[in-house]
């Protein structure tokens, strides 16, 4: 199953997903793939792994910190499937292996088992570490090849000879001309002081009208030694290449084990990142089944909205709902929370099926093959040019073909832009169709007051505004701007749901419009036209 | 302040340590690499680790000071260098970091020299990569002193990562002295502009570069402007001074010039000091660091 863009937007899933922060490039690649699971046993296994990791961290907080430290030190590996390679490739592999080894030693035996961590690359790591004490560096040491070691010694010896010649030359020039070339390639000196410089000791060239640029003339031996050094460097380079070929062959022998290690690192990283979210967001394990189920949410938080409310100083009310049917109709006031309820269900379902724990005391649901949002927010390119109703029909047609597989359908005020008589009939027909399939869990929010329901769907109602409390406070307050009015509505709104056995209509649009500051005269006219029909 | 060549070492150590310093020049081949070579032995003596690199590939072959092929940079044992893997290959470097950035000349890495060796510095080609590299050097390797042989216009965007400063290197002769003084005055004025405190100061934020034409679009009612940093101001000195008389300017990120290196040609230090005095240049100046006067 792939989440559609409109579902992604409707549930504001990205705002949750951005908190999922693996530390390694392998974990980040997993994140970018946005893997969705559609088997309950697979999701249960992932959930159990999170639970075991939570337990491990609680018992070993220090070790958990150390594991994260080593994960952060793992860099992306270069591919070994190429013509030429260099020390960087081996450096990265050595760093990967040494950090992976450190991680494997920190994990409990139980976690090592579940993450399939079995460090079988000790020999390769030791090959890559020859002649070096530091674990996070790489150098083609002379210990790999006695000839390389010998050439390096020769280079070191020649370097010393070259340095001695330089020192001696500089010392002579310092003594004879008071010129200090130590650490400088050249000097600028007054031209009038330069006449006494012997051309075989000082090279000079014009700098400006009063100064000359001077450089030491090095003796013949210096050039001979420099050439000797160059030749040794060529030999060293050839020998280093031989070592590289040897090491590459060793690496290739163990590519399978390396790939297993990469998978293990990815799993550990991804799991720890999920556990960090469990801790910071107080998540719990969802209960997901393969069988038909009536969805239950206890203290379910739609985190993006909760955060937004906190930023604006508004109250957020989590969702508590134990539904008694797979086909649910949600009624309620304007601004009463119908859409948020759908968003909360979709949000919790999506994060559950991506292997995360959920922000709820309990979330019991089914594993779905498809989750479809039907509403007029859809912006998909392929249906541009259609009217709002046309877009909804398109979305509906898509999902009607999939009703034989487990599917969650979230419908936000279907057909709100077309004539109400036909829209109500169509909505009722939809509900009837859905309720005949035990593969379908459908949630439909609506303002329609006379839906001819066949009795197969359950109707719930958002409790809505406490008018008395609102009016009392509203009448006491003066000069409220729109933000204040919204805050007041928010304070007096009850966003919980109740079973609507009487199928009562909900007439509150005029009251809400008045609360938001719509002209009183206009509202009075509307009331007169209704003549009490909405009371 | 005119810096005394003989007592320059403590000054340089004090001003360069624990900072990311760009060596910038007024023109190409201003003598940036030569000055980097001058600084390296001084920093080595301090015993504190430091790293040096460049921005992009230096395509210039000749140096303005020596009029000769570009000065060679020679790393010595213990030096940390950021360049490409190809540039450091077979040079006796122990690899200590490989950054996830590639240039046409190879992957950017950091190496520690195991012996004296000539090197080519090739740094990252874009600012984001450089910022990321500097962050890794600082946080993962705890190296806080960095020298970057680089063009001034590449400093942008790095402020949040590394709080950079810059040294301005220029060659002064009779032909360019007036033009250079103009530029130094401009940089000196920009050096005085303060960092924006968004909590206490209201100001109009200018995205991107501030040019003459952009200036004309700013409403007269606006009396405070915020610009990313000084490299985003493309105004000649006169316009800049006029602007400062009518508007308060702030930078989001400040890159101070810590001192200026002037290599004099056919102009005496005294003459140059008179010019600097006329423009009210108040930043420290080091004259002719390579000059010696043998007695």
């Amino acid at each position: 199953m792939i989440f559609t863009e409109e579902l992604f937007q409707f549930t504001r899933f990205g705002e949750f997903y951005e908190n999922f922060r693996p530390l390694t490039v392998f974990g980040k690649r997993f994140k970018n793939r946005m893997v969705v699971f559609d088997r309950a046993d697979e999701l249960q296994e992932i959930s159990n792994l999170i639970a075991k990791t939570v337990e491990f961290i609680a018992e070993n907080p220090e070790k958990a910190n150390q594991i994260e430290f080593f994960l952060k030190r793992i860099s992306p590996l270069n591919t070994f499937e190429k013509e030429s390679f260099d020390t960087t490739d081996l450096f990265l592999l050595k760093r990967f292996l040494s950090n992976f080894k450190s991680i494997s030693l920190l994990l409990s035996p139980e976690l090592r088992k579940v993450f399939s961590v079995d460090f079988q690359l000790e020999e390769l790591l030791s090959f890559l570490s020859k002649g070096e004490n530091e674990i996070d560096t790489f150098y083609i040491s002379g210990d790999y090849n006695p000839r390389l070691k010998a050439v390096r010694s020769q280079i070191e010896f020649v370097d010393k000879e070259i340095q001695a010649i330089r020192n001696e030359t500089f010392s002579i020039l310092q003594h004879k001309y008071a010129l200090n070339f130590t650490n400088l390639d050249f000097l600028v000196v007054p031209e009038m002081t330069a006449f006494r410089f012997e051309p075989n000791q000082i090279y000079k060239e014009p700098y400006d009208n009063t100064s000359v640029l001077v450089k030491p003339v090095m003796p013949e031996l210096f050039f001979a030694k420099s050439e000797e050094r160059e030749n040794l460097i060529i030999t060293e380079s050839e020998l280093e290449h031989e070592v590289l070929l040897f090491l590459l062959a060793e690496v290739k022998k163990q590519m399978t084990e390396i790939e297993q290690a990469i998978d293990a690192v990815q799993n550990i990283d991804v799991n720890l990142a999920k556990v960090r979210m469990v801790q910071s967001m107080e998540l719990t394990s969802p209960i997901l089944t393969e069988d038909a189920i009536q969805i239950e949410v206890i203290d379910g938080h739609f985190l993006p909205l909760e955060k937004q409310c906190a930023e604006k100083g508004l109250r957020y009310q989590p969702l508590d709902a134990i539904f008694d049917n797979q086909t649910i109709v949600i009624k309620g006031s304007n601004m009463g929370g119908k859409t948020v309820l759908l968003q909360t269900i979709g949000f919790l379902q999506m994060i559950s099926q991506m292997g995360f724990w959920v922000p709820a005391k309990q979330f019991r649901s089914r594993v779905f093959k498809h989750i479809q949002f039907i509403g007029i927010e859809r912006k998909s390119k392929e249906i541009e040019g259609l009217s709002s109703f046309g877009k909804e029909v398109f979305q509906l047609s898509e999902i009607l073909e999939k009703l034989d597989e487990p599917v969650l359908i979230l419908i936000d005020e279907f057909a709100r832009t077309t004539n109400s008589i036909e829209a109500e009939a169509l909505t009722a027909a939809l509900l009837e169709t859905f309720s005949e399939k035990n593969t379908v869990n459908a949630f439909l929010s609506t303002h329609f007051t006379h839906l001819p329901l066949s009795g197969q769907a359950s109707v719930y109602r958002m409790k809505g505004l406490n008018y008395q409390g609102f009016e009392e406070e509203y009448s006491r307050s003066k000069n409220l701007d729109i933000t204040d009015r919204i805050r007041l509505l928010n304070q007096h709104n009850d966003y919980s749901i109740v079973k609507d056995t009487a199928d009562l209509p909900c007439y509150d649009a005029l009251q809400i419009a008045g609360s938001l500051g719509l002209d009183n005269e206009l509202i009075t006219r509307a009331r007169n036209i209704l003549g009490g029909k909405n009371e | 302040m005119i810096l005394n060549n003989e007592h320059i070492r403590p000054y340089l150590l004090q001003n360069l340590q624990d900072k990311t310093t760009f060596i910038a020049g007024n023109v190409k081949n201003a003598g940036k690499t030569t000055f980097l070579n001058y600084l390296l032995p001084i920093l080595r003596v301090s015993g504190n680790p430091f790293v040096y690199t460049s921005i992009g590939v230096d395509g210039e072959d000749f140096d303005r000071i020596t009029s000769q092929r570009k000065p060679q940079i020679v790393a010595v044992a213990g030096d940390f260098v950021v360049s490409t893997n190809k540039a450091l290959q077979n040079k006796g470097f122990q690899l200590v970091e490989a950054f996830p950035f590639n240039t046409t000349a190879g992957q950017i890495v950091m190496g520690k020299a195991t012996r004296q060796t000539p090197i080519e510095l090739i740094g990252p080609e874009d600012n984001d990569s450089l910022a990321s590299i500097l962050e890794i050097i600082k946080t993962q390797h705890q190296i806080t002193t960095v020298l970057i042989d680089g063009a001034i216009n590449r400093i942008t965007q790095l402020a949040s990562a590394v709080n950079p400063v810059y040294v301005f290197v220029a060659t002064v002769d009779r032909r360019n002295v007036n033009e250079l003084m103009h530029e130094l005055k401009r940089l000196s004025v920009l050096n005085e502009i303060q960092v924006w405190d968004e909590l206490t100061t209201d100001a109009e934020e200018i995205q991107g570069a501030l040019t003459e034409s952009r200036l004309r679009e700013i409403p007269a009612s606006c009396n405070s402007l915020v610009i990313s940093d000084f490299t985003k101001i493309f105004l000649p000195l006169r316009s800049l001074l006029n602007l400062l008389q009518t508007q308060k300017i702030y930078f989001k990120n400040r890159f101070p010039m810590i001192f200026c290196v002037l290599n004099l040609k056919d102009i005496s230090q005294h003459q140059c000091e008179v010019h600097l005095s006329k423009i009210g240049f108040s930043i420290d100046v080091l004259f002719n660091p390579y000059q010696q006067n043998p007695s």
Side-chain angles (χ1 to χ4, degrees), chain A residues 309-327:
Chain A
C309 285
E311 284 166 1
K312 291 184 175 172
L314 296 173
R315 185 176 61 93
Y316 172 78
Q317 189 175 328
L319 175 66
D320 282 305
I322 297 178
F323 297 105
D324 63 358
N325 201 318
Q326 285 179 231
T327 308

Side-chain angles (χ1 to χ4, degrees), chain A residues 78 86 88 91 95 132 137-138 177 180 183 187-188 190 205 207-209 215 229 233 236-237 240, chain B residues 34 41 66 68 85 89-90 93-98 107 115-116 264-266 290-294:
Chain A
N78 289 343
D86 59 36
T88 316
F91 161 77
R95 172 183 275 189
E132 276 213 291
T137 62
F138 181 73
Y177 302 121
N180 184 0
N183 296 327
L187 292 171
V188 175
E205 63 182 44
Y207 179 73
D208 65 11
N209 286 336
K215 290 181 175 181
R229 186 184 192 277
I233 294 286
E236 181 197 36
S237 166
E240 280 183 359
Chain B
T34 303
T66 61
Q68 291 188 348
N85 55 353
Q89 201 160 11
N90 304 125
F93 274 91
Q94 177 190 44
L95 278 181
V96 295
E97 189 59 77
Q107 184 172 357
R115 62 173 181 242
Q116 186 164 309
L264 305 179
K265 273 190 169 181
D266 291 332
Y290 326 110
Q291 190 154 44
Q292 283 185 15
N293 202 349

